[in-house]
Amino acid sequence: MKNTDYNGYLGPRLSREAQMLRIRRVMEAELTETQRQVLNGYYLQKKNIPQLARERGVNKSTICRTLQRAERRLRRFLKY
């Protein structure tokens, strides 16, 4: 496998299927239910922040914070 330089990572590059499986596993194991729902709504269902806020009955800033925390947590666990 070819090595790639991504933020200091020099290990083998995973296939897209392997990457997606890894992301799903981390999401299930490490994110809260709310974080999973917001990530799915925003990235997979292509909903915008105001839509998600209305559906959940919360302020837009709450959705933004939840999304940021979920993304940060995903990045942290996907480093390894």
Side-chain angles (χ1 to χ4, degrees), residues 45-73:
Q45 297 171 8
K46 304 293 184 191
K47 295 180 181 178
N48 59 30
I49 290 173
Q51 281 178 308
L52 291 168
R54 275 193 306 275
E55 288 175 5
R56 300 189 69 78
V58 297
N59 198 307
K60 293 182 290 188
S61 64
T62 302
I63 296 296
C64 285
R65 271 194 315 274
T66 303
L67 192 56
Q68 288 173 344
R69 288 176 182 156
E71 290 168 343
R72 204 173 324 136
R73 194 167 176 97

Side-chain angles (χ1 to χ4, degrees), residues 13-25:
R13 183 175 174 96
L14 298 173
S15 68
R16 180 162 175 78
E17 295 81 26
Q19 289 175 5
M20 292 304 293
L21 179 62
R22 197 161 166 244
I23 290 170
R24 278 190 217 107
R25 285 182 181 160

Side-chain angles (χ1 to χ4, degrees), residues 14-44:
L14 298 173
S15 68
R16 180 162 175 78
E17 295 81 26
Q19 289 175 5
M20 292 304 293
L21 179 62
R22 197 161 166 244
I23 290 170
R24 278 190 217 107
R25 285 182 181 160
V26 170
M27 284 178 68
E28 290 173 8
E30 302 300 335
L31 299 182
T32 66
E33 184 63 30
T34 302
Q35 289 172 336
R36 277 194 297 275
Q37 289 173 355
V38 170
L39 275 177
N40 282 329
Y42 190 74
Y43 288 107
L44 301 179

